[in-house]
Amino acid sequence: MEAPAYFRSPALELLVYDLSMPSTPLVAPDPDAATAYPEVARLRAALDSQDWPAVAALFADISWDGYSLLTWEAGERQSAYGFLSAQASEESPGPLAVALFANQLIRTGWRVRTDAAASEVSAHQFAVFQEQLRRAEQLLEQVTEQDPGHVVGWEMRVVTALGLQLGVAEARRRYDVLAGHAPHHLPAQQGLLQQLAPKWGGTVELMHAFTRECVDAAPEGAPNGVLIAQAHLEHALSLDGPASDHYLRHPQVWQELRDAAARSVWH
């Protein structure tokens, strides 16, 4: 099972569709991954029935993109927290059980923090957020020690590096380890893009350089072109008022979106 082309963001498809077919009504993408991937629906059912063999079977012989998709979907299943905690607490749990519970902790922490600006997050929210991410980090250290090539374990460690404010250098180090095993893993690239964005301590120069590097290196027809759109949106968010709108209307930005589309969703 491959990850959807608009993995966690329909930004590129929406923008290039609008550019290429302005007279055609734009149809919003269906945000439910189960619509495209029946494995997601089966995972939800297995978690709801607390059927660990069924959960594990869905992760057998799966691509890292598919593994990532199902892991984050499992993290969205708040009702599975206790079940996954118990699996991770078993004697000698495998990397899958530990990784799935670590993702539950990450998602729990982020739900408490919310997507609000740092200045709008209370001290209590921030403390709970950090506690959940530190617990997840400890578990993910186990995963990547057990299996140094566990791509999704390293992907989540890029996310914990972001939330724990470990800095750009450490997040990039973790990504580089991951890229040695899966050089075009889009979810991890999207995670590092956030770290390189101005709102998390990066710069627009670092962010754009990284996304162009990833898109240029990815195979033609791969979904990684979405990174170009996401970087431009993050750049616009870093600007104030009219400057943000002016930036997104700049001809160079539109041309870069077309070029990214030609290399990915239009290929």
Side-chain angles (χ1 to χ4, degrees):
M1 181 180 68
E2 296 298 322
Y6 55 86
F7 199 93
R8 294 195 217 139
S9 172
L12 181 59
E13 284 73 7
L14 287 172
L15 287 168
V16 299
Y17 189 93
D18 190 45
L19 289 174
S20 62
M21 306 180 72
S23 62
T24 303
L26 186 62
V27 178
D30 185 339
D32 188 355
T35 302
Y37 299 99
E39 295 89 344
V40 171
R42 292 201 288 271
L43 174 66
R44 292 170 182 169
L47 291 171
D48 289 347
S49 61
Q50 301 191 0
D51 185 345
W52 180 251
V55 171
L58 287 165
F59 286 85
D61 301 319
I62 194 173
S63 72
W64 284 119
D65 282 344
Y67 196 116
S68 179
L69 174 63
L70 292 183
T71 297
W72 288 97
E73 285 292 331
E76 291 293 330
R77 211 70 173 171
Q78 297 181 52
S79 59
Y81 185 99
F83 169 59
L84 292 176
S85 174
Q87 294 301 316
S89 300
E90 292 281 338
E91 186 175 353
S92 301
L96 175 61
V98 178
L100 291 183
F101 183 56
N103 191 268
Q104 278 278 339
L105 294 171
I106 291 171
R107 298 301 298 141
T108 298
W110 232 279
R111 278 190 288 267
V112 171
R113 184 202 181 280
T114 75
D115 291 330
S119 60
E120 299 174 6
V121 179
S122 71
H124 174 71
Q125 285 176 292
F126 190 75
V128 174
F129 171 61
Q130 293 269 295
E131 177 190 4
Q132 295 298 303
L133 263 62
R134 280 193 292 269
R135 291 179 63 195
E137 173 72 6
Q138 291 172 350
L139 292 174
L140 292 170
E141 285 177 356
Q142 296 176 30
V143 171
T144 55
E145 284 174 7
Q146 266 189 282
D147 181 2
H150 198 289
V151 168
V152 175
W154 284 110
E155 174 198 335
M156 287 189 282
R157 292 192 69 187
V158 171
V159 175
T160 55
L162 175 74
L164 293 172
Q165 301 178 324
L166 302 184
V168 169
E170 175 59 15
R172 181 67 199 237
R173 183 193 72 80
R174 295 176 181 207
Y175 171 78
D176 287 343
V177 173
L178 176 156
H181 301 280
H184 310 302
H185 188 61
L186 177 57
Q189 292 173 346
Q190 291 174 312
L192 188 58
L193 184 158
Q194 290 297 310
Q195 175 70 79
L196 298 177
K199 67 185 180 184
W200 283 101
T203 67
V204 293
E205 292 80 12
L206 282 172
M207 179 177 64
H208 286 300
F210 173 69
T211 55
R212 288 168 185 145
E213 168 194 329
C214 292
V215 174
D216 288 347
E220 293 184 333
N224 304 66
V226 73
L227 293 166
I228 298 296
Q230 289 175 316
H232 282 307
L233 290 172
E234 290 293 345
H235 190 154
L237 286 171
S238 72
L239 302 173
D240 294 326
S244 176
D245 185 62
H246 178 74
Y247 174 81
L248 287 176
R249 293 178 182 276
H250 196 284
Q252 182 180 345
V253 172
W254 286 46
Q255 187 58 54
E256 289 186 12
L257 290 170
R258 291 190 183 95
D259 291 344
R263 189 171 175 83
S264 58
V265 293
W266 283 350
H267 190 273

